[in-house]
Amino acid sequence: MIATELLIGGKPVPGEGDPLVVENPYTESELATVALPSPEQVDAAVAAARDAAKGWATTPAIERCELLHEVAARMRARTDELAELMTKEGGKPLVENSDEVGWTAAAFDYYAEMGRNFAGRVIPSIESTQLSLVLKEPMGVVACIVPWNYPLLLLSWKLAPALAAGNTVVAKPSELTPLSTLALAECFEHLPPGVVNLLAGDGRIGEAIVSDDRVDCVAFTGSVETGKKIAHICADRVARINLELGGKDPFIVCPDVAPAIDVAARGGAWAAFLNAGQVCTSAERFYVLEPVFDDYLQAFVDYTNSLVVGDPLDANTDIGPLVSARQRDRVAAQVDAAVAAGADVVTGGGPGGNGTGYFYAPTVVTGAPAETDLLREETFGPVAPLVRVKSLDEAIELANSTRFGLGANVYTKDLDTILRCMREIKAGTLWFNDPLTDNDAGPFGGMKQSGFGRELGQEGLEAFQETKHVHLETSLAPKEWWYPYGGGSSQPKGA
Ligand code: NAD
């Protein structure tokens, strides 16, 4: 049975607000209906998190560590059930969802250890009679607002470090994929009541949580437009924010990879079509150097045509449907606009699949003018526009030409090229010859309008910690720089 209850104050409770119908994007039929929280229930969830904050903050880090490892173990034990549910509500192929559950659990294991390993540092004091500490403390209540494309993973990148740092949480998944998040309630049963609260709903519920004065920090993943709204709301009350926003990642292919052009093409196609292109770090613009362009295009198209589009629950499926009709129509409109401006569709360019489902066939486009949205704004669909460039200079300039700076990929083994790309491309993550691989220990996030702050790694823990400097003097002797100044004062050392 599909769980549709909210988790408030440690108790599963049915929502008392409007119904939300969750659709299966492959069958286009209703999967479940979730009763959304009433305003009173949103209030109760924040209140529960607030009430639990002090107890959780003072729980010894080693105990929090053990409890978070237990969360990970419970998730792993339910991999098949969770992956199937995620596939039904989001349309991502089953294998990708099984992987996602594993990565989600891994984030809890990683931060369980990180949280008991770091609470600040000791810095040199001004005088030998003193001790100076930099304390890292919990912020209090953290709101986690996440999108639909990786509902559990992106939640874990917030939830796990926030809890490990001693915060309590109110989380809200996307209105398109609430079920897998609500199904997690059992994984948190062993935590003190109120430490994790799970709600559901659209932007209105999200805004109510984000606007609540009792919420100290908002960790958000989603579109640039929603991120800006949240930033405005939080700026007004100087609440902390961590924003992971959209991307338009470039993918540069250099001539020295000619002997392995098939590998670079497979890597490119995977980076463009993974989760039907609905990845914030999808490769969305390919800048291919002139000498290898034709061979790369041929290999890319051949490989694309070999991919299996179909039922996401089928183990042979490479690419499932998009998450919604709206998302598919947005992708189609962007491709159609590029074609109207002179681009050519080499393969794909229309509905894939066969029968029901919000499919868009994996598509390769050439000749799109640089000013089209297909090369400037996020597509979030299985579309790979390939652009022929004359030089590395041109490739780097184009790579840096949008308002985004999330990730970037380069295929080359040439050391000079690697160093130039590493230094000159404005992106939070740079992948050379291995697209899109995440590492829990490596900070993830965007430059420019792709975001603010970082998730994962040490940075991802500190994103949920306040910093306090403690200056401790052990001597009660008066200081020579105090009043009266008439006696010849001097400033403290280091001032
Ligand atoms: P979205 O911005 O529409 O929604 C994201 C979440 O915010 C949802 O839970 C939604 O209900 C909520 N929300 C909407 N309006 C809100 C408001 N006013 N106040 C508070 N919450 C509100 O994004 P989406 O369509 O769900 O996801 C796709 C976007 O997410 C893409 O732009 C993609 O690039 C981005 N994304 C970024 C990353 C990253 O790490 N940088 C990762 C995955 C997805």
Side-chain angles (χ1 to χ4, degrees), residues 428-429 439-445 454-460:
T429 305
N439 177 346
D440 288 333
F444 177 86
R454 290 291 179 274
E455 296 189 315
L456 297 182
Q458 176 75 18
E459 288 84 350

Side-chain angles (χ1 to χ4, degrees), residues 5-218:
E5 290 179 313
L6 314 170
L7 180 67
I8 299 176
K11 292 197 184 70
V13 289
E16 292 165 1
D18 296 336
L20 169 76
V21 175
V22 183
E23 195 184 10
N24 178 329
Y26 174 62
T27 61
E28 300 184 30
S29 58
E30 178 178 333
L31 181 59
T33 297
V34 176
L36 297 180
S38 62
E40 293 73 25
Q41 288 180 306
V42 175
D43 181 77
V46 178
R50 189 81 261 162
D51 288 349
K54 193 167 176 193
W56 185 245
T58 52
T59 299
I62 183 67
E63 283 177 31
R64 290 201 298 253
C65 164
E66 284 161 8
L67 292 168
L68 294 184
H69 280 310
E70 174 64 19
V71 171
R74 289 178 182 220
M75 284 177 177
R76 282 199 185 92
R78 296 175 59 205
T79 300
D80 292 347
E81 171 209 342
L82 289 169
E84 186 180 326
L85 184 57
M86 291 157 81
T87 304
K88 286 180 177 167
E89 73 172 344
K92 193 154 29 99
L94 186 63
V95 60
E96 294 179 18
N97 284 318
S98 301
D99 286 347
E100 181 174 345
V101 177
W103 302 332
T104 301
F108 276 90
D109 280 334
Y110 175 74
Y111 278 112
E113 295 301 322
M114 291 293 282
R116 73 183 179 113
N117 193 45
F118 180 70
R121 63 191 203 274
V122 181
I123 56 172
S125 55
I126 302 300
E127 309 225 348
S128 59
T129 50
Q130 301 169 345
L131 182 64
S132 281
L133 304 172
V134 179
L135 301 187
K136 293 287 181 176
E137 299 184 340
M139 287 173 167
V141 176
V142 173
C144 302
I145 312 274
V146 289
W148 42 263
N149 60 339
Y150 287 90
L152 299 194
L153 184 69
L154 297 174
L155 178 65
S156 74
W157 289 4
K158 298 160 184 56
L159 188 51
L163 295 177
N167 303 281
T168 57
V169 168
V170 178
K172 191 201 78 63
S174 163
E175 56 274 32
L176 296 177
T177 55
L179 301 174
S180 47
T181 302
L182 298 180
L184 288 184
E186 281 174 34
C187 302
F188 304 123
E189 263 172 358
H190 59 295
L191 301 180
V195 167
V196 174
N197 301 274
L198 303 175
L199 298 180
D202 62 13
R204 286 165 295 184
I205 306 273
E207 204 160 318
I209 301 168
V210 165
S211 310
D212 195 306
D213 278 339
R214 295 166 296 177
V215 170
D216 301 286
C217 172
V218 176

Side-chain angles (χ1 to χ4, degrees), residues 146-148 172 175 207 220-223 226 244-246 280 378:
V146 289
W148 42 263
K172 191 201 78 63
E175 56 274 32
E207 204 160 318
F220 170 77
T221 298
S223 62
T226 307
E244 298 291 344
L245 310 179
C280 53
E378 193 171 50

Side-chain angles (χ1 to χ4, degrees), residues 297-323:
L297 174 62
Q298 187 63 54
F300 201 112
V301 170
D302 289 347
Y303 188 60
T304 300
N305 289 338
S306 75
L307 300 175
V308 179
V309 179
D311 180 352
L313 282 172
D314 187 327
N316 292 318
T317 294
D318 298 311
I319 301 177
L322 277 72
V323 74

Side-chain angles (χ1 to χ4, degrees), residues 115 130 227 253 282 373 386:
Q130 301 169 345
V253 183
S282 287
D373 277 359
L386 269 57

